[in-house]
Amino acid sequence: MTLYEGIALIQEKQAVVLDLGSEYTKFGFTGEAAPRCIIRSEFWCTTERKYKKVYDYKTPEELYDNLVHMLHLLYFRHVLVNPKERKVVVVESLFTPTLFRETLAKVLFTHYEVSGVVWADSPRLCALTLGAPVALVVAVGGREAEVAAVVHSCVVLHAMQTQPLAARAIHASLAELLDEDNNTKLNLPDHIIEDIKVKTCFVVGRERAARWRSPSWPAAACDVAYPVAGRSAIAVAGRTRELAAEVLFARDAELASLPDIVLQCIMQCPIDARRELAANILVTGGTATLPGLKARLAEELRYLITQPPYESRLHVREFRFHRAPCPENACAWAGGAVCGAADGGAARATPRDAYARARRLPDWVCLLDNTPPHHPHRDNLDI
Amino acid sequence: MAYLTQLDYVKYICSCGQLKPITSLYFCRHCLKIRCGFCICHEVDSHYCANCLENMPSSEARLKKNRCSSCFDCPSCFHTLSTRATLAQPRQPVDPAGGDTKVENKQPKKMYYLSCFNCRWTSRDVGIPDQPVASGGWPERANPFATRINQLLDYYKAIALQEKQEKLERERKKFSIRGKYITLTDKTGLTGAMARNIAGLPSNEAGSSSAIANFVASQASEEVEQLPDDIYTKEVNLKQITSMPQRLASPEWQPASVARLHPVAKLLSVKRSQRCRACDHNLTKPEYNPGSIKFKIELLAYYHVPEVKIISHEPVKPGEKTALLVKLTNPTGHEMQLRLLQPEDIPPVEDREEPRSIEKSLERSLNLEKDASACRAIERPPSYAASSVVATPVGALTLAQRDDAAEYDDDTQHDADHIILWRKSNKLALRLEVTTDASAADGAPASTAFAIEYSYRNTVPPSSTAAHHRDHTLYTTVLLDLGKVHA
Ligand SMILES: [Zn+2]
Ligand SMILES: [Zn+2]
Ligand SMILES: [Zn+2]
Ligand SMILES: [Zn+2]
């Protein structure tokens, strides 16, 4: 113990990488190929006597408490290191609410006394795992599907797209279909819905989905009887298995389906990057592991590009897909692990003393941070 | 056991504003304040395996990725796996000349495999060969992505190095480039050099190392994984597909099929020591031996703060007075003077900044920034709503010191006093009167709060020049849960 801590004082302590997803949290060390743990983003709340999700909060204090408990669990039950005087790479979505970032910073710096925090956005970290200069990152996670174009390590901010088309949406749709199959309101807990999805559901091809919408249904895949302790088995019809994830591809007048937001993102990017982006798509996030999802997305993209409004405005014909060197659900995390190790974490981290002075974080949406130094309005912003 | 299994009817207000039962509170003898798990600093003290109770030095634990080398968890149900022995007859070619020459070779050999007593999973289920030794030697799997991640690491490290050199160069030339999007592009830091690399610009002559030159970026392909052809016709065998917890138990592989499950090396546990944030003194420090549940330092509130227990109470009714019987215990080795008051009557904490020695105040001022910010963020006003008010007796009560021998006496003293019900050694039962607000709704949670003023004798060994063995008057607020309001 003393020997190692002694060495660590000379060397920099190996930093940790934290990816606090809405459903699952990935936590581990920089420079390693996989996170040490992937656990649900929830903890046992002793006062409420139930598992509480980190993202269930009503007040900033409640969020603060949630984060304190979650990090305690991660540091002392899973990764087993002292948080004190150790750097953290935080993998964050560019859509993270300011309150969440600020509270997380407060918890890390004041409650756990970490020595520095590197704030890194997930699209760029995902692109980092490819080493390719241009990438279109389609992250389908727990709550949201996010599409971001990364061009030469810059996220094209105005082209970013997000829609609530992820695991939550699939679970809601699956729960509805299961109620139909069993002719009753099942009210299954979320982990059983998730288990049914993981074990039985898949995404069908475009044509088959169209046949399901037509009057002549195709012959469905095999039905499954899913046993649940303490009640009769739940019938999972073949149709349910095939259509649970259809909600991601449902097109309406607003053109807000998953392939639509991918194309819209490309469309809003600079014209000289579009072809490259379409040829460098990376589909990540836990939901991307659903069998058939990538195939369907590719199929939809190749079809929709021939349809209005895209055919006249988007002149790309070729879609190519990358494979990340890590499981889909840990892609952004792996990027963080590489980035944190390569940098030494030193240069880009917000050190604790800087945070203690400023009490705020740089943020891309904030005019303080995104007004160029020579801009005429710069002088009106006081820091 | 009641402490562990029952709801917390009596809660204390920690100095940070959290409400906790006395069993989860600490008492800092140096700050003379109650502390709790929320406002103290936790530290990893030692690593050990909870199954074989083997200690592991931190450096070794780090090398072994915090996993025990001899214990495994079941990949199916996460129960601990047991090593089972079988006798294997070594296969020998049949010797037509007669076998009495090699008798010793025909001895059956002991072979070992791993088995789960809970769900009957065995290492043979997934084709792991039996091992000739009882512990260790189990085949390890390499992370399939490790090679590529290492290439990426080398590549980005080389780029970061190159960028650093360029920066130095630039600074030397006093040549500053101000980018338009400085905060956006500079965040991961791999930008400038990488952009240069991509644009094919000549990079710093020394910087273009082999790691950069040999790096091959990921190649995108037209093909994506298609659904298997038999997906529409194949029966689903739920037992052959892993659940999410089973997949995530090994984040590197995340097997989707039960046939790919592999024993999971057991994650170590840690013993934690706890430290007061304000004064950096240890509040608890466990013994090093994993088998021991004792502590070298154990400053628990349970040993220092008078304990309040509810004996019984009448149902709480709106606008009425109800009786409440509580028991007070003095856990310390010194006589204690107690007084009950209303929580709002606690005198505000005057700045008890005593004249300190110079080095101490210097030390303090150095830590001041950290202290102030940390405490401000963590402390918050306690949030509770008491539906009833306790009529607090005016006089002071005296509680004798804890006397382990007195536990065996049975001479409960019944005082004539109408407030003190009985008194026994260091314990005291009080009859209190609770007045409930007339507006309390039926079924609403009923609770009451009162503060205790108590004398405390500080027994910190004389370490500094400051006068020790002093008596202090301390305050704590207690919140009692009285069930529900019955209209
Ligand atoms: Zn506290
Ligand atoms: Zn062990
Ligand atoms: Zn088992
Ligand atoms: Zn203290």
PDB file of all heavy atoms in Angstrom, chain A residues 204-221 238-240 242-243 246, chain B residues 232:
ATOM      1  N   VAL A 204     -36.497  -6.026 -38.227  1.00  0.00           N
ATOM      2  CA  VAL A 204     -36.693  -6.665 -39.528  1.00  0.00           C
ATOM      3  C   VAL A 204     -36.255  -5.727 -40.645  1.00  0.00           C
ATOM      4  O   VAL A 204     -36.046  -4.537 -40.426  1.00  0.00           O
ATOM      5  CB  VAL A 204     -38.168  -7.061 -39.741  1.00  0.00           C
ATOM      6  CG1 VAL A 204     -38.559  -8.142 -38.775  1.00  0.00           C
ATOM      7  CG2 VAL A 204     -39.068  -5.850 -39.606  1.00  0.00           C
ATOM      8  N   GLY A 205     -36.146  -6.264 -41.824  1.00  0.00           N
ATOM      9  CA  GLY A 205     -35.766  -5.465 -42.985  1.00  0.00           C
ATOM     10  C   GLY A 205     -36.902  -4.533 -43.404  1.00  0.00           C
ATOM     11  O   GLY A 205     -38.034  -4.641 -42.939  1.00  0.00           O
ATOM     12  N   ARG A 206     -36.556  -3.621 -44.321  1.00  0.00           N
ATOM     13  CA  ARG A 206     -37.518  -2.608 -44.773  1.00  0.00           C
ATOM     14  C   ARG A 206     -38.767  -3.212 -45.401  1.00  0.00           C
ATOM     15  O   ARG A 206     -39.885  -2.822 -45.110  1.00  0.00           O
ATOM     16  CB  ARG A 206     -36.816  -1.742 -45.819  1.00  0.00           C
ATOM     17  CG  ARG A 206     -36.962  -0.278 -45.645  1.00  0.00           C
ATOM     18  CD  ARG A 206     -36.404   0.423 -46.861  1.00  0.00           C
ATOM     19  NE  ARG A 206     -37.421   0.429 -47.909  1.00  0.00           N
ATOM     20  CZ  ARG A 206     -38.488   1.212 -47.881  1.00  0.00           C
ATOM     21  NH1 ARG A 206     -38.658   2.049 -46.890  1.00  0.00           N
ATOM     22  NH2 ARG A 206     -39.392   1.171 -48.846  1.00  0.00           N
ATOM     23  N   GLU A 207     -38.540  -4.153 -46.279  1.00  0.00           N
ATOM     24  CA  GLU A 207     -39.670  -4.722 -47.015  1.00  0.00           C
ATOM     25  C   GLU A 207     -40.618  -5.469 -46.093  1.00  0.00           C
ATOM     26  O   GLU A 207     -41.832  -5.355 -46.199  1.00  0.00           O
ATOM     27  CB  GLU A 207     -39.158  -5.671 -48.091  1.00  0.00           C
ATOM     28  CG  GLU A 207     -39.183  -5.006 -49.433  1.00  0.00           C
ATOM     29  CD  GLU A 207     -38.521  -5.844 -50.493  1.00  0.00           C
ATOM     30  OE1 GLU A 207     -38.647  -7.093 -50.412  1.00  0.00           O
ATOM     31  OE2 GLU A 207     -37.894  -5.243 -51.381  1.00  0.00           O
ATOM     32  N   ARG A 208     -40.035  -6.224 -45.196  1.00  0.00           N
ATOM     33  CA  ARG A 208     -40.862  -6.989 -44.277  1.00  0.00           C
ATOM     34  C   ARG A 208     -41.664  -6.045 -43.377  1.00  0.00           C
ATOM     35  O   ARG A 208     -42.843  -6.283 -43.117  1.00  0.00           O
ATOM     36  CB  ARG A 208     -39.973  -7.891 -43.414  1.00  0.00           C
ATOM     37  CG  ARG A 208     -40.740  -8.982 -42.737  1.00  0.00           C
ATOM     38  CD  ARG A 208     -39.805  -9.983 -42.102  1.00  0.00           C
ATOM     39  NE  ARG A 208     -40.537 -10.835 -41.195  1.00  0.00           N
ATOM     40  CZ  ARG A 208     -41.056 -12.010 -41.523  1.00  0.00           C
ATOM     41  NH1 ARG A 208     -40.922 -12.469 -42.751  1.00  0.00           N
ATOM     42  NH2 ARG A 208     -41.711 -12.732 -40.631  1.00  0.00           N
ATOM     43  N   ALA A 209     -41.050  -4.960 -42.954  1.00  0.00           N
ATOM     44  CA  ALA A 209     -41.763  -3.978 -42.132  1.00  0.00           C
ATOM     45  C   ALA A 209     -42.937  -3.404 -42.909  1.00  0.00           C
ATOM     46  O   ALA A 209     -44.025  -3.198 -42.366  1.00  0.00           O
ATOM     47  CB  ALA A 209     -40.814  -2.867 -41.701  1.00  0.00           C
ATOM     48  N   ALA A 210     -42.725  -3.163 -44.217  1.00  0.00           N
ATOM     49  CA  ALA A 210     -43.802  -2.622 -45.051  1.00  0.00           C
ATOM     50  C   ALA A 210     -44.943  -3.631 -45.150  1.00  0.00           C
ATOM     51  O   ALA A 210     -46.125  -3.267 -45.135  1.00  0.00           O
ATOM     52  CB  ALA A 210     -43.261  -2.289 -46.436  1.00  0.00           C
ATOM     53  N   ARG A 211     -44.600  -4.916 -45.246  1.00  0.00           N
ATOM     54  CA  ARG A 211     -45.650  -5.947 -45.325  1.00  0.00           C
ATOM     55  C   ARG A 211     -46.444  -6.010 -44.026  1.00  0.00           C
ATOM     56  O   ARG A 211     -47.635  -6.303 -44.051  1.00  0.00           O
ATOM     57  CB  ARG A 211     -45.019  -7.301 -45.650  1.00  0.00           C
ATOM     58  CG  ARG A 211     -44.759  -7.447 -47.152  1.00  0.00           C
ATOM     59  CD  ARG A 211     -44.012  -8.711 -47.450  1.00  0.00           C
ATOM     60  NE  ARG A 211     -44.809  -9.916 -47.170  1.00  0.00           N
ATOM     61  CZ  ARG A 211     -44.285 -11.121 -46.992  1.00  0.00           C
ATOM     62  NH1 ARG A 211     -42.979 -11.270 -47.073  1.00  0.00           N
ATOM     63  NH2 ARG A 211     -45.048 -12.148 -46.754  1.00  0.00           N
ATOM     64  N   TRP A 212     -45.771  -5.759 -42.897  1.00  0.00           N
ATOM     65  CA  TRP A 212     -46.499  -5.746 -41.626  1.00  0.00           C
ATOM     66  C   TRP A 212     -47.494  -4.600 -41.582  1.00  0.00           C
ATOM     67  O   TRP A 212     -48.510  -4.669 -40.914  1.00  0.00           O
ATOM     68  CB  TRP A 212     -45.530  -5.613 -40.442  1.00  0.00           C
ATOM     69  CG  TRP A 212     -44.926  -6.902 -40.001  1.00  0.00           C
ATOM     70  CD1 TRP A 212     -43.612  -7.245 -40.047  1.00  0.00           C
ATOM     71  CD2 TRP A 212     -45.607  -8.016 -39.417  1.00  0.00           C
ATOM     72  NE1 TRP A 212     -43.430  -8.505 -39.554  1.00  0.00           N
ATOM     73  CE2 TRP A 212     -44.645  -9.011 -39.160  1.00  0.00           C
ATOM     74  CE3 TRP A 212     -46.942  -8.296 -39.119  1.00  0.00           C
ATOM     75  CZ2 TRP A 212     -44.965 -10.239 -38.594  1.00  0.00           C
ATOM     76  CZ3 TRP A 212     -47.271  -9.505 -38.556  1.00  0.00           C
ATOM     77  CH2 TRP A 212     -46.291 -10.472 -38.305  1.00  0.00           C
ATOM     78  N   ARG A 213     -47.191  -3.521 -42.308  1.00  0.00           N
ATOM     79  CA  ARG A 213     -48.117  -2.386 -42.305  1.00  0.00           C
ATOM     80  C   ARG A 213     -49.248  -2.602 -43.298  1.00  0.00           C
ATOM     81  O   ARG A 213     -50.286  -1.974 -43.211  1.00  0.00           O
ATOM     82  CB  ARG A 213     -47.365  -1.096 -42.649  1.00  0.00           C
ATOM     83  CG  ARG A 213     -46.501  -0.577 -41.506  1.00  0.00           C
ATOM     84  CD  ARG A 213     -46.047   0.847 -41.770  1.00  0.00           C
ATOM     85  NE  ARG A 213     -45.231   0.956 -42.981  1.00  0.00           N
ATOM     86  CZ  ARG A 213     -43.913   0.788 -42.993  1.00  0.00           C
ATOM     87  NH1 ARG A 213     -43.269   0.506 -41.884  1.00  0.00           N
ATOM     88  NH2 ARG A 213     -43.247   0.911 -44.127  1.00  0.00           N
ATOM     89  N   SER A 214     -49.069  -3.496 -44.274  1.00  0.00           N
ATOM     90  CA  SER A 214     -50.087  -3.760 -45.292  1.00  0.00           C
ATOM     91  C   SER A 214     -51.105  -4.759 -44.739  1.00  0.00           C
ATOM     92  O   SER A 214     -50.896  -5.337 -43.677  1.00  0.00           O
ATOM     93  CB  SER A 214     -49.404  -4.332 -46.530  1.00  0.00           C
ATOM     94  OG  SER A 214     -49.025  -5.667 -46.259  1.00  0.00           O
ATOM     95  N   PRO A 215     -52.222  -4.963 -45.447  1.00  0.00           N
ATOM     96  CA  PRO A 215     -53.221  -5.918 -44.927  1.00  0.00           C
ATOM     97  C   PRO A 215     -52.721  -7.368 -44.930  1.00  0.00           C
ATOM     98  O   PRO A 215     -53.204  -8.183 -44.143  1.00  0.00           O
ATOM     99  CB  PRO A 215     -54.408  -5.753 -45.874  1.00  0.00           C
ATOM    100  CG  PRO A 215     -54.114  -4.588 -46.731  1.00  0.00           C
ATOM    101  CD  PRO A 215     -52.671  -4.282 -46.652  1.00  0.00           C
ATOM    102  N   SER A 216     -51.813  -7.690 -45.821  1.00  0.00           N
ATOM    103  CA  SER A 216     -51.364  -9.097 -45.869  1.00  0.00           C
ATOM    104  C   SER A 216     -50.076  -9.250 -45.087  1.00  0.00           C
ATOM    105  O   SER A 216     -48.993  -8.954 -45.568  1.00  0.00           O
ATOM    106  CB  SER A 216     -51.133  -9.499 -47.327  1.00  0.00           C
ATOM    107  OG  SER A 216     -50.167  -8.660 -47.889  1.00  0.00           O
ATOM    108  N   TRP A 217     -50.223  -9.722 -43.837  1.00  0.00           N
ATOM    109  CA  TRP A 217     -49.059  -9.875 -42.974  1.00  0.00           C
ATOM    110  C   TRP A 217     -48.205 -11.058 -43.397  1.00  0.00           C
ATOM    111  O   TRP A 217     -48.732 -12.085 -43.841  1.00  0.00           O
ATOM    112  CB  TRP A 217     -49.515 -10.109 -41.524  1.00  0.00           C
ATOM    113  CG  TRP A 217     -50.040  -8.870 -40.873  1.00  0.00           C
ATOM    114  CD1 TRP A 217     -50.107  -7.627 -41.423  1.00  0.00           C
ATOM    115  CD2 TRP A 217     -50.578  -8.769 -39.554  1.00  0.00           C
ATOM    116  NE1 TRP A 217     -50.648  -6.741 -40.522  1.00  0.00           N
ATOM    117  CE2 TRP A 217     -50.944  -7.417 -39.378  1.00  0.00           C
ATOM    118  CE3 TRP A 217     -50.779  -9.677 -38.523  1.00  0.00           C
ATOM    119  CZ2 TRP A 217     -51.513  -6.967 -38.192  1.00  0.00           C
ATOM    120  CZ3 TRP A 217     -51.336  -9.217 -37.354  1.00  0.00           C
ATOM    121  CH2 TRP A 217     -51.696  -7.869 -37.181  1.00  0.00           C
ATOM    122  N   PRO A 218     -46.917 -10.948 -43.228  1.00  0.00           N
ATOM    123  CA  PRO A 218     -46.068 -12.113 -43.507  1.00  0.00           C
ATOM    124  C   PRO A 218     -46.218 -13.151 -42.393  1.00  0.00           C
ATOM    125  O   PRO A 218     -46.787 -12.870 -41.340  1.00  0.00           O
ATOM    126  CB  PRO A 218     -44.672 -11.502 -43.505  1.00  0.00           C
ATOM    127  CG  PRO A 218     -44.775 -10.318 -42.616  1.00  0.00           C
ATOM    128  CD  PRO A 218     -46.164  -9.776 -42.774  1.00  0.00           C
ATOM    129  N   ALA A 219     -45.709 -14.346 -42.650  1.00  0.00           N
ATOM    130  CA  ALA A 219     -45.724 -15.375 -41.604  1.00  0.00           C
ATOM    131  C   ALA A 219     -44.742 -14.948 -40.516  1.00  0.00           C
ATOM    132  O   ALA A 219     -43.561 -14.748 -40.779  1.00  0.00           O
ATOM    133  CB  ALA A 219     -45.281 -16.713 -42.196  1.00  0.00           C
ATOM    134  N   ALA A 220     -45.243 -14.787 -39.312  1.00  0.00           N
ATOM    135  CA  ALA A 220     -44.428 -14.214 -38.237  1.00  0.00           C
ATOM    136  C   ALA A 220     -43.362 -15.193 -37.780  1.00  0.00           C
ATOM    137  O   ALA A 220     -43.469 -16.405 -37.994  1.00  0.00           O
ATOM    138  CB  ALA A 220     -45.313 -13.821 -37.067  1.00  0.00           C
ATOM    139  N   ALA A 221     -42.350 -14.652 -37.136  1.00  0.00           N
ATOM    140  CA  ALA A 221     -41.334 -15.499 -36.506  1.00  0.00           C
ATOM    141  C   ALA A 221     -41.980 -16.286 -35.364  1.00  0.00           C
ATOM    142  O   ALA A 221     -43.119 -16.030 -34.986  1.00  0.00           O
ATOM    143  CB  ALA A 221     -40.200 -14.628 -35.984  1.00  0.00           C
ATOM    144  N   GLY A 238     -44.615 -13.639 -32.357  1.00  0.00           N
ATOM    145  CA  GLY A 238     -43.568 -13.389 -33.341  1.00  0.00           C
ATOM    146  C   GLY A 238     -43.654 -11.968 -33.878  1.00  0.00           C
ATOM    147  O   GLY A 238     -42.632 -11.312 -34.098  1.00  0.00           O
ATOM    148  N   ARG A 239     -44.875 -11.497 -34.063  1.00  0.00           N
ATOM    149  CA  ARG A 239     -45.067 -10.140 -34.584  1.00  0.00           C
ATOM    150  C   ARG A 239     -44.471  -9.115 -33.620  1.00  0.00           C
ATOM    151  O   ARG A 239     -43.813  -8.151 -34.039  1.00  0.00           O
ATOM    152  CB  ARG A 239     -46.568  -9.907 -34.773  1.00  0.00           C
ATOM    153  CG  ARG A 239     -46.921  -8.522 -35.201  1.00  0.00           C
ATOM    154  CD  ARG A 239     -48.389  -8.410 -35.582  1.00  0.00           C
ATOM    155  NE  ARG A 239     -48.717  -7.032 -35.872  1.00  0.00           N
ATOM    156  CZ  ARG A 239     -49.190  -6.169 -34.973  1.00  0.00           C
ATOM    157  NH1 ARG A 239     -49.401  -6.583 -33.743  1.00  0.00           N
ATOM    158  NH2 ARG A 239     -49.462  -4.928 -35.308  1.00  0.00           N
ATOM    159  N   THR A 240     -44.695  -9.354 -32.330  1.00  0.00           N
ATOM    160  CA  THR A 240     -44.140  -8.456 -31.319  1.00  0.00           C
ATOM    161  C   THR A 240     -42.624  -8.441 -31.394  1.00  0.00           C
ATOM    162  O   THR A 240     -41.990  -7.383 -31.349  1.00  0.00           O
ATOM    163  CB  THR A 240     -44.578  -8.936 -29.928  1.00  0.00           C
ATOM    164  OG1 THR A 240     -45.993  -8.936 -29.902  1.00  0.00           O
ATOM    165  CG2 THR A 240     -44.032  -8.059 -28.825  1.00  0.00           C
ATOM    166  N   GLU A 242     -40.811  -8.925 -33.886  1.00  0.00           N
ATOM    167  CA  GLU A 242     -40.332  -8.249 -35.087  1.00  0.00           C
ATOM    168  C   GLU A 242     -40.579  -6.743 -35.054  1.00  0.00           C
ATOM    169  O   GLU A 242     -39.819  -5.977 -35.638  1.00  0.00           O
ATOM    170  CB  GLU A 242     -41.024  -8.828 -36.319  1.00  0.00           C
ATOM    171  CG  GLU A 242     -40.675 -10.289 -36.554  1.00  0.00           C
ATOM    172  CD  GLU A 242     -41.212 -10.797 -37.881  1.00  0.00           C
ATOM    173  OE1 GLU A 242     -41.308 -10.004 -38.824  1.00  0.00           O
ATOM    174  OE2 GLU A 242     -41.555 -11.991 -37.953  1.00  0.00           O
ATOM    175  N   LEU A 243     -41.667  -6.335 -34.376  1.00  0.00           N
ATOM    176  CA  LEU A 243     -42.079  -4.939 -34.514  1.00  0.00           C
ATOM    177  C   LEU A 243     -41.732  -4.050 -33.320  1.00  0.00           C
ATOM    178  O   LEU A 243     -41.975  -2.849 -33.357  1.00  0.00           O
ATOM    179  CB  LEU A 243     -43.592  -4.867 -34.768  1.00  0.00           C
ATOM    180  CG  LEU A 243     -44.058  -5.514 -36.070  1.00  0.00           C
ATOM    181  CD1 LEU A 243     -45.534  -5.285 -36.280  1.00  0.00           C
ATOM    182  CD2 LEU A 243     -43.282  -4.955 -37.260  1.00  0.00           C
ATOM    183  N   GLU A 246     -39.707  -1.120 -34.225  1.00  0.00           N
ATOM    184  CA  GLU A 246     -40.172  -0.394 -35.413  1.00  0.00           C
ATOM    185  C   GLU A 246     -40.346   1.098 -35.117  1.00  0.00           C
ATOM    186  O   GLU A 246     -40.279   1.932 -36.012  1.00  0.00           O
ATOM    187  CB  GLU A 246     -41.514  -0.978 -35.857  1.00  0.00           C
ATOM    188  CG  GLU A 246     -41.617  -1.581 -37.232  1.00  0.00           C
ATOM    189  CD  GLU A 246     -40.357  -1.668 -38.056  1.00  0.00           C
ATOM    190  OE1 GLU A 246     -39.498  -2.539 -37.807  1.00  0.00           O
ATOM    191  OE2 GLU A 246     -40.246  -0.861 -38.976  1.00  0.00           O
TER     192      GLU A 246
ATOM    193  N   TYR B 232     -36.391 -16.131 -38.723  1.00  0.00           N
ATOM    194  CA  TYR B 232     -37.857 -16.189 -38.747  1.00  0.00           C
ATOM    195  C   TYR B 232     -38.383 -17.590 -38.449  1.00  0.00           C
ATOM    196  O   TYR B 232     -39.534 -17.762 -38.114  1.00  0.00           O
ATOM    197  CB  TYR B 232     -38.385 -15.722 -40.109  1.00  0.00           C
ATOM    198  CG  TYR B 232     -37.991 -14.304 -40.411  1.00  0.00           C
ATOM    199  CD1 TYR B 232     -37.078 -14.009 -41.420  1.00  0.00           C
ATOM    200  CD2 TYR B 232     -38.520 -13.243 -39.674  1.00  0.00           C
ATOM    201  CE1 TYR B 232     -36.699 -12.707 -41.675  1.00  0.00           C
ATOM    202  CE2 TYR B 232     -38.144 -11.940 -39.927  1.00  0.00           C
ATOM    203  CZ  TYR B 232     -37.239 -11.684 -40.939  1.00  0.00           C
ATOM    204  OH  TYR B 232     -36.862 -10.390 -41.182  1.00  0.00           O
TER     205      TYR B 232
END
